[in-house]
Amino acid sequence: MRPTTPADITVVESGALEADPSLAPWGTRVIALVNGRHDGFWRSSACARVAGIIDRDDPDHSYVAAVREVLSGRGWVSPELVPTLLSGRMEHSRVPEPPAAEVTLLTDRERGVAALVAKGLSNSEIAQQLTIERSTVKFHVSNVLRKMRCRDRSQLAVLWHSHTLPVRIAA
């Protein structure tokens, strides 16, 4: 059932997102409710655009935590799904997708920074690894998020790993 008035956050069954992966009918911040790592949602294009992913088997407090995190502007993925999500080992035959068109807009340095963000490094760790200032990293991260149309670092990581984008780090 689609909402009649805009909501701050909408929790949507993965099957509904598979049927219409555009997210347009659901609003700007959508949390997908999935049936573990075997769910067909992982093959959907909506996977990289949702603000949160909740496993149906999560305890009730995880639902509340997910809504709070997404309301505060951050992303949420059920802790049990994170290792599998980041490793790209979802239990389905994954057909590699071409990189998002937005990736071609990134400079080599931005690609390197994006890859390190996707690995989970902080701005300080990225600055240290690339031997650049932390303020420069912040500038690059901001540009990457804008160009990739991501709300936050979590969404960038999901997008980066879901498309298995090349991890090329410019020195």
PDB file of all heavy atoms in Angstrom, residues 37 42 77 79-92 94 118-119 157-158 160-165:
ATOM      1  N   ARG A  37      19.931 -12.610   3.342  1.00  0.00           N
ATOM      2  CA  ARG A  37      20.824 -12.432   2.196  1.00  0.00           C
ATOM      3  C   ARG A  37      20.389 -13.186   0.956  1.00  0.00           C
ATOM      4  O   ARG A  37      21.009 -13.098  -0.084  1.00  0.00           O
ATOM      5  CB  ARG A  37      22.240 -12.805   2.588  1.00  0.00           C
ATOM      6  CG  ARG A  37      22.369 -14.176   3.158  1.00  0.00           C
ATOM      7  CD  ARG A  37      23.716 -14.327   3.779  1.00  0.00           C
ATOM      8  NE  ARG A  37      24.181 -15.688   3.600  1.00  0.00           N
ATOM      9  CZ  ARG A  37      25.283 -16.146   4.073  1.00  0.00           C
ATOM     10  NH1 ARG A  37      26.083 -15.342   4.726  1.00  0.00           N
ATOM     11  NH2 ARG A  37      25.633 -17.389   3.885  1.00  0.00           N
ATOM     12  N   TRP A  42      18.505  -7.856  -3.447  1.00  0.00           N
ATOM     13  CA  TRP A  42      19.929  -7.585  -3.690  1.00  0.00           C
ATOM     14  C   TRP A  42      20.241  -7.453  -5.171  1.00  0.00           C
ATOM     15  O   TRP A  42      21.241  -6.850  -5.538  1.00  0.00           O
ATOM     16  CB  TRP A  42      20.788  -8.670  -3.047  1.00  0.00           C
ATOM     17  CG  TRP A  42      20.539  -8.757  -1.581  1.00  0.00           C
ATOM     18  CD1 TRP A  42      19.904  -9.766  -0.912  1.00  0.00           C
ATOM     19  CD2 TRP A  42      20.895  -7.793  -0.582  1.00  0.00           C
ATOM     20  NE1 TRP A  42      19.846  -9.476   0.429  1.00  0.00           N
ATOM     21  CE2 TRP A  42      20.444  -8.281   0.655  1.00  0.00           C
ATOM     22  CE3 TRP A  42      21.544  -6.568  -0.624  1.00  0.00           C
ATOM     23  CZ2 TRP A  42      20.625  -7.591   1.849  1.00  0.00           C
ATOM     24  CZ3 TRP A  42      21.724  -5.877   0.555  1.00  0.00           C
ATOM     25  CH2 TRP A  42      21.269  -6.386   1.775  1.00  0.00           C
ATOM     26  N   VAL A  77      22.174  -0.446   7.862  1.00  0.00           N
ATOM     27  CA  VAL A  77      22.129  -1.805   7.343  1.00  0.00           C
ATOM     28  C   VAL A  77      22.153  -2.720   8.552  1.00  0.00           C
ATOM     29  O   VAL A  77      22.961  -2.522   9.469  1.00  0.00           O
ATOM     30  CB  VAL A  77      23.336  -2.116   6.417  1.00  0.00           C
ATOM     31  CG1 VAL A  77      23.301  -3.558   5.953  1.00  0.00           C
ATOM     32  CG2 VAL A  77      23.357  -1.176   5.224  1.00  0.00           C
ATOM     33  N   PRO A  79      23.130  -5.240  11.116  1.00  0.00           N
ATOM     34  CA  PRO A  79      24.501  -5.688  11.372  1.00  0.00           C
ATOM     35  C   PRO A  79      24.818  -7.074  10.796  1.00  0.00           C
ATOM     36  O   PRO A  79      25.920  -7.306  10.319  1.00  0.00           O
ATOM     37  CB  PRO A  79      24.591  -5.700  12.898  1.00  0.00           C
ATOM     38  CG  PRO A  79      23.592  -4.685  13.333  1.00  0.00           C
ATOM     39  CD  PRO A  79      22.473  -4.765  12.328  1.00  0.00           C
ATOM     40  N   GLU A  80      23.854  -7.976  10.797  1.00  0.00           N
ATOM     41  CA  GLU A  80      24.092  -9.327  10.280  1.00  0.00           C
ATOM     42  C   GLU A  80      24.331  -9.334   8.771  1.00  0.00           C
ATOM     43  O   GLU A  80      24.920 -10.267   8.239  1.00  0.00           O
ATOM     44  CB  GLU A  80      22.903 -10.255  10.594  1.00  0.00           C
ATOM     45  CG  GLU A  80      22.707 -10.524  12.065  1.00  0.00           C
ATOM     46  CD  GLU A  80      22.031  -9.365  12.807  1.00  0.00           C
ATOM     47  OE1 GLU A  80      21.387  -8.509  12.159  1.00  0.00           O
ATOM     48  OE2 GLU A  80      22.172  -9.296  14.028  1.00  0.00           O
ATOM     49  N   LEU A  81      23.867  -8.315   8.073  1.00  0.00           N
ATOM     50  CA  LEU A  81      23.998  -8.266   6.620  1.00  0.00           C
ATOM     51  C   LEU A  81      25.253  -7.532   6.146  1.00  0.00           C
ATOM     52  O   LEU A  81      25.657  -7.678   5.004  1.00  0.00           O
ATOM     53  CB  LEU A  81      22.764  -7.584   6.005  1.00  0.00           C
ATOM     54  CG  LEU A  81      21.429  -8.272   6.249  1.00  0.00           C
ATOM     55  CD1 LEU A  81      20.294  -7.400   5.721  1.00  0.00           C
ATOM     56  CD2 LEU A  81      21.396  -9.643   5.610  1.00  0.00           C
ATOM     57  N   VAL A  82      25.869  -6.753   7.011  1.00  0.00           N
ATOM     58  CA  VAL A  82      26.996  -5.915   6.607  1.00  0.00           C
ATOM     59  C   VAL A  82      28.170  -6.715   6.038  1.00  0.00           C
ATOM     60  O   VAL A  82      28.645  -6.406   4.943  1.00  0.00           O
ATOM     61  CB  VAL A  82      27.448  -4.992   7.762  1.00  0.00           C
ATOM     62  CG1 VAL A  82      28.757  -4.299   7.435  1.00  0.00           C
ATOM     63  CG2 VAL A  82      26.365  -3.977   8.079  1.00  0.00           C
ATOM     64  N   PRO A  83      28.674  -7.750   6.723  1.00  0.00           N
ATOM     65  CA  PRO A  83      29.831  -8.453   6.169  1.00  0.00           C
ATOM     66  C   PRO A  83      29.566  -9.047   4.785  1.00  0.00           C
ATOM     67  O   PRO A  83      30.406  -8.969   3.894  1.00  0.00           O
ATOM     68  CB  PRO A  83      30.103  -9.565   7.187  1.00  0.00           C
ATOM     69  CG  PRO A  83      29.457  -9.110   8.446  1.00  0.00           C
ATOM     70  CD  PRO A  83      28.279  -8.287   8.029  1.00  0.00           C
ATOM     71  N   THR A  84      28.396  -9.598   4.607  1.00  0.00           N
ATOM     72  CA  THR A  84      28.076 -10.190   3.320  1.00  0.00           C
ATOM     73  C   THR A  84      27.896  -9.119   2.256  1.00  0.00           C
ATOM     74  O   THR A  84      28.338  -9.274   1.129  1.00  0.00           O
ATOM     75  CB  THR A  84      26.771 -11.001   3.431  1.00  0.00           C
ATOM     76  OG1 THR A  84      26.629 -11.495   4.749  1.00  0.00           O
ATOM     77  CG2 THR A  84      26.769 -12.169   2.504  1.00  0.00           C
ATOM     78  N   LEU A  85      27.269  -8.024   2.637  1.00  0.00           N
ATOM     79  CA  LEU A  85      27.043  -6.931   1.703  1.00  0.00           C
ATOM     80  C   LEU A  85      28.366  -6.347   1.213  1.00  0.00           C
ATOM     81  O   LEU A  85      28.585  -6.185   0.026  1.00  0.00           O
ATOM     82  CB  LEU A  85      26.202  -5.833   2.366  1.00  0.00           C
ATOM     83  CG  LEU A  85      25.926  -4.594   1.537  1.00  0.00           C
ATOM     84  CD1 LEU A  85      24.995  -4.928   0.386  1.00  0.00           C
ATOM     85  CD2 LEU A  85      25.313  -3.514   2.402  1.00  0.00           C
ATOM     86  N   LEU A  86      29.273  -6.069   2.132  1.00  0.00           N
ATOM     87  CA  LEU A  86      30.537  -5.444   1.757  1.00  0.00           C
ATOM     88  C   LEU A  86      31.474  -6.392   1.016  1.00  0.00           C
ATOM     89  O   LEU A  86      32.280  -5.958   0.206  1.00  0.00           O
ATOM     90  CB  LEU A  86      31.228  -4.877   2.994  1.00  0.00           C
ATOM     91  CG  LEU A  86      30.520  -3.690   3.638  1.00  0.00           C
ATOM     92  CD1 LEU A  86      31.274  -3.229   4.874  1.00  0.00           C
ATOM     93  CD2 LEU A  86      30.353  -2.547   2.659  1.00  0.00           C
ATOM     94  N   SER A  87      31.352  -7.671   1.290  1.00  0.00           N
ATOM     95  CA  SER A  87      32.228  -8.617   0.601  1.00  0.00           C
ATOM     96  C   SER A  87      31.701  -8.990  -0.773  1.00  0.00           C
ATOM     97  O   SER A  87      32.409  -9.597  -1.564  1.00  0.00           O
ATOM     98  CB  SER A  87      32.411  -9.883   1.443  1.00  0.00           C
ATOM     99  OG  SER A  87      31.201 -10.614   1.464  1.00  0.00           O
ATOM    100  N   GLY A  88      30.436  -8.623  -1.048  1.00  0.00           N
ATOM    101  CA  GLY A  88      29.863  -8.945  -2.354  1.00  0.00           C
ATOM    102  C   GLY A  88      29.521 -10.404  -2.512  1.00  0.00           C
ATOM    103  O   GLY A  88      29.354 -10.889  -3.622  1.00  0.00           O
ATOM    104  N   ARG A  89      29.390 -11.123  -1.401  1.00  0.00           N
ATOM    105  CA  ARG A  89      29.109 -12.561  -1.484  1.00  0.00           C
ATOM    106  C   ARG A  89      27.649 -12.878  -1.182  1.00  0.00           C
ATOM    107  O   ARG A  89      27.360 -13.830  -0.492  1.00  0.00           O
ATOM    108  CB  ARG A  89      29.990 -13.324  -0.502  1.00  0.00           C
ATOM    109  CG  ARG A  89      31.443 -13.253  -0.849  1.00  0.00           C
ATOM    110  CD  ARG A  89      32.251 -14.144   0.049  1.00  0.00           C
ATOM    111  NE  ARG A  89      31.885 -13.938   1.442  1.00  0.00           N
ATOM    112  CZ  ARG A  89      32.741 -13.722   2.424  1.00  0.00           C
ATOM    113  NH1 ARG A  89      34.012 -13.678   2.179  1.00  0.00           N
ATOM    114  NH2 ARG A  89      32.338 -13.555   3.657  1.00  0.00           N
ATOM    115  N   MET A  90      26.732 -12.093  -1.691  1.00  0.00           N
ATOM    116  CA  MET A  90      25.326 -12.385  -1.468  1.00  0.00           C
ATOM    117  C   MET A  90      25.027 -13.724  -2.118  1.00  0.00           C
ATOM    118  O   MET A  90      25.606 -14.075  -3.134  1.00  0.00           O
ATOM    119  CB  MET A  90      24.428 -11.297  -2.065  1.00  0.00           C
ATOM    120  CG  MET A  90      24.651  -9.918  -1.448  1.00  0.00           C
ATOM    121  SD  MET A  90      24.711  -9.853   0.343  1.00  0.00           S
ATOM    122  CE  MET A  90      23.044 -10.222   0.742  1.00  0.00           C
ATOM    123  N   GLU A  91      24.130 -14.469  -1.537  1.00  0.00           N
ATOM    124  CA  GLU A  91      23.829 -15.827  -1.997  1.00  0.00           C
ATOM    125  C   GLU A  91      22.939 -15.793  -3.239  1.00  0.00           C
ATOM    126  O   GLU A  91      21.811 -16.247  -3.214  1.00  0.00           O
ATOM    127  CB  GLU A  91      23.148 -16.597  -0.874  1.00  0.00           C
ATOM    128  CG  GLU A  91      23.985 -16.736   0.359  1.00  0.00           C
ATOM    129  CD  GLU A  91      24.871 -17.952   0.318  1.00  0.00           C
ATOM    130  OE1 GLU A  91      24.517 -18.910  -0.395  1.00  0.00           O
ATOM    131  OE2 GLU A  91      25.895 -17.945   0.986  1.00  0.00           O
ATOM    132  N   HIS A  92      23.432 -15.267  -4.322  1.00  0.00           N
ATOM    133  CA  HIS A  92      22.726 -15.312  -5.592  1.00  0.00           C
ATOM    134  C   HIS A  92      23.758 -15.152  -6.697  1.00  0.00           C
ATOM    135  O   HIS A  92      24.878 -14.765  -6.464  1.00  0.00           O
ATOM    136  CB  HIS A  92      21.665 -14.211  -5.682  1.00  0.00           C
ATOM    137  CG  HIS A  92      22.234 -12.833  -5.702  1.00  0.00           C
ATOM    138  ND1 HIS A  92      22.577 -12.155  -4.560  1.00  0.00           N
ATOM    139  CD2 HIS A  92      22.525 -12.010  -6.729  1.00  0.00           C
ATOM    140  CE1 HIS A  92      23.056 -10.959  -4.884  1.00  0.00           C
ATOM    141  NE2 HIS A  92      23.035 -10.863  -6.172  1.00  0.00           N
ATOM    142  N   ARG A  94      25.238 -13.164  -9.143  1.00  0.00           N
ATOM    143  CA  ARG A  94      25.256 -11.738  -9.408  1.00  0.00           C
ATOM    144  C   ARG A  94      25.845 -11.466 -10.775  1.00  0.00           C
ATOM    145  O   ARG A  94      26.962 -11.848 -11.070  1.00  0.00           O
ATOM    146  CB  ARG A  94      26.083 -11.048  -8.338  1.00  0.00           C
ATOM    147  CG  ARG A  94      26.124  -9.568  -8.507  1.00  0.00           C
ATOM    148  CD  ARG A  94      26.562  -8.964  -7.227  1.00  0.00           C
ATOM    149  NE  ARG A  94      27.532  -7.944  -7.501  1.00  0.00           N
ATOM    150  CZ  ARG A  94      28.236  -7.362  -6.574  1.00  0.00           C
ATOM    151  NH1 ARG A  94      28.113  -7.720  -5.338  1.00  0.00           N
ATOM    152  NH2 ARG A  94      29.088  -6.428  -6.877  1.00  0.00           N
ATOM    153  N   ALA A 118      34.600   3.635   0.588  1.00  0.00           N
ATOM    154  CA  ALA A 118      33.861   2.373   0.463  1.00  0.00           C
ATOM    155  C   ALA A 118      34.489   1.257   1.290  1.00  0.00           C
ATOM    156  O   ALA A 118      33.799   0.328   1.714  1.00  0.00           O
ATOM    157  CB  ALA A 118      33.785   1.956  -1.005  1.00  0.00           C
ATOM    158  N   LYS A 119      35.787   1.362   1.547  1.00  0.00           N
ATOM    159  CA  LYS A 119      36.460   0.386   2.412  1.00  0.00           C
ATOM    160  C   LYS A 119      36.211   0.664   3.882  1.00  0.00           C
ATOM    161  O   LYS A 119      36.586  -0.118   4.742  1.00  0.00           O
ATOM    162  CB  LYS A 119      37.971   0.403   2.163  1.00  0.00           C
ATOM    163  CG  LYS A 119      38.410  -0.262   0.908  1.00  0.00           C
ATOM    164  CD  LYS A 119      39.918  -0.092   0.785  1.00  0.00           C
ATOM    165  CE  LYS A 119      40.559  -1.274   0.156  1.00  0.00           C
ATOM    166  NZ  LYS A 119      42.015  -1.136   0.126  1.00  0.00           N
ATOM    167  N   ALA A 157      29.229   3.576  -0.160  1.00  0.00           N
ATOM    168  CA  ALA A 157      29.843   2.249  -0.011  1.00  0.00           C
ATOM    169  C   ALA A 157      28.969   1.167  -0.623  1.00  0.00           C
ATOM    170  O   ALA A 157      29.457   0.281  -1.338  1.00  0.00           O
ATOM    171  CB  ALA A 157      30.113   1.951   1.464  1.00  0.00           C
ATOM    172  N   VAL A 158      27.674   1.239  -0.374  1.00  0.00           N
ATOM    173  CA  VAL A 158      26.760   0.244  -0.942  1.00  0.00           C
ATOM    174  C   VAL A 158      26.772   0.324  -2.460  1.00  0.00           C
ATOM    175  O   VAL A 158      26.871  -0.689  -3.149  1.00  0.00           O
ATOM    176  CB  VAL A 158      25.329   0.423  -0.387  1.00  0.00           C
ATOM    177  CG1 VAL A 158      24.329  -0.427  -1.161  1.00  0.00           C
ATOM    178  CG2 VAL A 158      25.280   0.080   1.092  1.00  0.00           C
ATOM    179  N   TRP A 160      29.126   1.560  -4.387  1.00  0.00           N
ATOM    180  CA  TRP A 160      30.446   1.166  -4.870  1.00  0.00           C
ATOM    181  C   TRP A 160      30.578  -0.355  -4.908  1.00  0.00           C
ATOM    182  O   TRP A 160      31.010  -0.921  -5.904  1.00  0.00           O
ATOM    183  CB  TRP A 160      31.517   1.768  -3.970  1.00  0.00           C
ATOM    184  CG  TRP A 160      32.871   1.831  -4.610  1.00  0.00           C
ATOM    185  CD1 TRP A 160      33.878   0.926  -4.495  1.00  0.00           C
ATOM    186  CD2 TRP A 160      33.360   2.864  -5.460  1.00  0.00           C
ATOM    187  NE1 TRP A 160      34.963   1.333  -5.218  1.00  0.00           N
ATOM    188  CE2 TRP A 160      34.676   2.523  -5.826  1.00  0.00           C
ATOM    189  CE3 TRP A 160      32.816   4.041  -5.945  1.00  0.00           C
ATOM    190  CZ2 TRP A 160      35.454   3.309  -6.651  1.00  0.00           C
ATOM    191  CZ3 TRP A 160      33.598   4.835  -6.765  1.00  0.00           C
ATOM    192  CH2 TRP A 160      34.888   4.468  -7.119  1.00  0.00           C
ATOM    193  N   HIS A 161      30.158  -1.017  -3.825  1.00  0.00           N
ATOM    194  CA  HIS A 161      30.292  -2.471  -3.762  1.00  0.00           C
ATOM    195  C   HIS A 161      29.249  -3.192  -4.596  1.00  0.00           C
ATOM    196  O   HIS A 161      29.521  -4.271  -5.113  1.00  0.00           O
ATOM    197  CB  HIS A 161      30.239  -2.954  -2.307  1.00  0.00           C
ATOM    198  CG  HIS A 161      31.464  -2.584  -1.537  1.00  0.00           C
ATOM    199  ND1 HIS A 161      32.665  -3.235  -1.700  1.00  0.00           N
ATOM    200  CD2 HIS A 161      31.677  -1.613  -0.614  1.00  0.00           C
ATOM    201  CE1 HIS A 161      33.565  -2.681  -0.907  1.00  0.00           C
ATOM    202  NE2 HIS A 161      32.997  -1.701  -0.242  1.00  0.00           N
ATOM    203  N   SER A 162      28.069  -2.612  -4.760  1.00  0.00           N
ATOM    204  CA  SER A 162      27.027  -3.278  -5.541  1.00  0.00           C
ATOM    205  C   SER A 162      27.362  -3.277  -7.021  1.00  0.00           C
ATOM    206  O   SER A 162      26.909  -4.128  -7.763  1.00  0.00           O
ATOM    207  CB  SER A 162      25.663  -2.624  -5.308  1.00  0.00           C
ATOM    208  OG  SER A 162      25.617  -1.344  -5.896  1.00  0.00           O
ATOM    209  N   HIS A 163      28.167  -2.331  -7.445  1.00  0.00           N
ATOM    210  CA  HIS A 163      28.574  -2.273  -8.851  1.00  0.00           C
ATOM    211  C   HIS A 163      29.989  -2.800  -9.053  1.00  0.00           C
ATOM    212  O   HIS A 163      30.496  -2.754 -10.158  1.00  0.00           O
ATOM    213  CB  HIS A 163      28.494  -0.838  -9.376  1.00  0.00           C
ATOM    214  CG  HIS A 163      27.103  -0.355  -9.539  1.00  0.00           C
ATOM    215  ND1 HIS A 163      26.277  -0.772 -10.531  1.00  0.00           N
ATOM    216  CD2 HIS A 163      26.362   0.492  -8.789  1.00  0.00           C
ATOM    217  CE1 HIS A 163      25.102  -0.197 -10.427  1.00  0.00           C
ATOM    218  NE2 HIS A 163      25.136   0.581  -9.365  1.00  0.00           N
ATOM    219  N   THR A 164      30.598  -3.286  -7.995  1.00  0.00           N
ATOM    220  CA  THR A 164      31.985  -3.757  -8.021  1.00  0.00           C
ATOM    221  C   THR A 164      32.869  -2.820  -8.853  1.00  0.00           C
ATOM    222  O   THR A 164      33.517  -3.225  -9.795  1.00  0.00           O
ATOM    223  CB  THR A 164      32.101  -5.205  -8.543  1.00  0.00           C
ATOM    224  OG1 THR A 164      31.537  -5.283  -9.858  1.00  0.00           O
ATOM    225  CG2 THR A 164      31.419  -6.181  -7.620  1.00  0.00           C
ATOM    226  N   LEU A 165      32.812  -1.549  -8.483  1.00  0.00           N
ATOM    227  CA  LEU A 165      33.597  -0.550  -9.185  1.00  0.00           C
ATOM    228  C   LEU A 165      35.080  -0.759  -8.924  1.00  0.00           C
ATOM    229  O   LEU A 165      35.460  -1.220  -7.862  1.00  0.00           O
ATOM    230  CB  LEU A 165      33.163   0.848  -8.745  1.00  0.00           C
ATOM    231  CG  LEU A 165      31.693   1.162  -9.006  1.00  0.00           C
ATOM    232  CD1 LEU A 165      31.309   2.493  -8.387  1.00  0.00           C
ATOM    233  CD2 LEU A 165      31.413   1.174 -10.490  1.00  0.00           C
TER     234      LEU A 165
END
